[in-house]
Each structure stands twice: as C-alpha cells, then as structure tokens.
C-alpha cells in the first residue's frame, strides 16, 4: 500500500496588534522573554487559548514564588535539553542569560561541585 504523507499547512504568526485583548499578556512576554514567541502569535487565532497559556505561564514564572526565577530558567533549560527540543533549549538558555544566572550559580543550584573530581 502506498501511503504518502503531506506536510501540514503552516500557519503564519499574526501580528500582536491582531488581538488587542491580549496586549497585556504580550507585553508581559516581551518583558519576561524579550520577545513574543511565534507559538503564541499563531495561537492568538483562538484568544481564549492564548490567554489561558499566558495565565499558566505567568503563574509558573511568578516572581513571588518560592523558587528563584533564574533557577527556574536553568531547570527549564535542563528539561528542554533532556527532551531534545532545540527551540526550547535556545530560548531557555537565552532566558537564563537574561536573568544573569552565572554558570557557578547554576552548578551550585543543580548540586554540582565546583571542584574537579579527584
């Protein structure tokens, strides 16, 4: 049996101005990430879905949480690397640098010794 697959149609990101009701969420993403991810710009075709994702993201990255936001960035990067998602690896590494989380701080936070093994 000859089964051929075709690629799914690619949805282009819409400009942020497309959904004025999402401007607060977009601005929070710009502040937190430095950009608005294409995934959310595509998702704004369903504003309720985009708003729900933005609310969940805000809850995860709440600065009043018990875990340091920079350390959360490192955890996100390790999870992305483990999953092999290069897109996520790029933006989580960028986010960690954005919050100036230094290598030594990250190593201590992950429980890795700064001393070389004997």
């Amino acid at each position: 049996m000859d089964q051929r697959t075709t690629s799914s149609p690619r949805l282009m990101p819409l400009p942020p101005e497309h959904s004025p009701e999402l401007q607060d969420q977009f601005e929070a993403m710009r502040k937190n990430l430095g950009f608005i991810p294409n995934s959310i710009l595509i998702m704004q075709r369903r504003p309720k879905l985009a708003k729900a994702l933005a609310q969940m993201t805000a809850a995860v990255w709440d600065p009043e949480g018990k875990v340091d936001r920079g350390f959360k960035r490192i955890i996100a990067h390790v999870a992305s690397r483990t999953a092999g998602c290069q897109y996520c690896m790029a933006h989580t590494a960028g986010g960690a640098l954005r919050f100036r989380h230094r290598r030594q701080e990250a190593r201590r936070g992950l429980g890795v010794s700064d001393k070389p093994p004997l």
Side-chain angles (χ1 to χ4, degrees):
M1 178 187 261
D2 184 22
Q3 291 184 337
R4 295 182 185 182
T5 59
T6 59
S7 61
S8 299
R10 185 177 178 105
L11 296 175
M12 295 303 293
L14 298 172
E17 301 77 31
H18 179 80
S19 302
E21 69 272 25
L22 296 173
Q23 292 310 304
D24 289 345
Q25 287 81 13
F26 289 162
E27 197 51 45
M29 288 176 196
R30 266 194 200 103
K31 183 179 178 184
N32 192 29
L33 295 171
F35 65 98
I36 303 170
N38 281 340
S39 57
I40 201 82
L41 292 173
I42 292 169
M43 197 180 298
Q44 71 177 312
R45 288 175 167 80
R46 300 284 186 255
K48 287 182 183 178
L49 185 60
K51 194 167 203 163
L53 179 62
Q55 289 172 334
M56 182 187 72
T57 301
V60 169
W61 297 107
D62 184 355
E64 295 179 20
K66 293 181 180 181
V67 178
D68 173 72
R69 291 173 75 192
F71 186 57
K72 285 181 186 180
R73 297 266 183 201
I74 296 298
I75 293 169
H77 182 69
V78 170
S80 300
R81 188 176 178 104
T82 300
C85 180
Q86 293 180 351
Y87 171 78
C88 293
M89 286 168 53
H91 76 77
T92 55
L97 291 172
R98 185 173 173 82
F99 279 87
R100 294 180 174 87
H101 220 283
R102 294 188 190 97
R103 182 177 179 188
Q104 286 182 340
E105 293 172 75
R107 291 174 61 84
R108 280 194 299 272
L110 293 170
V112 179
S113 173
D114 288 333
K115 296 179 182 178
L118 298 175

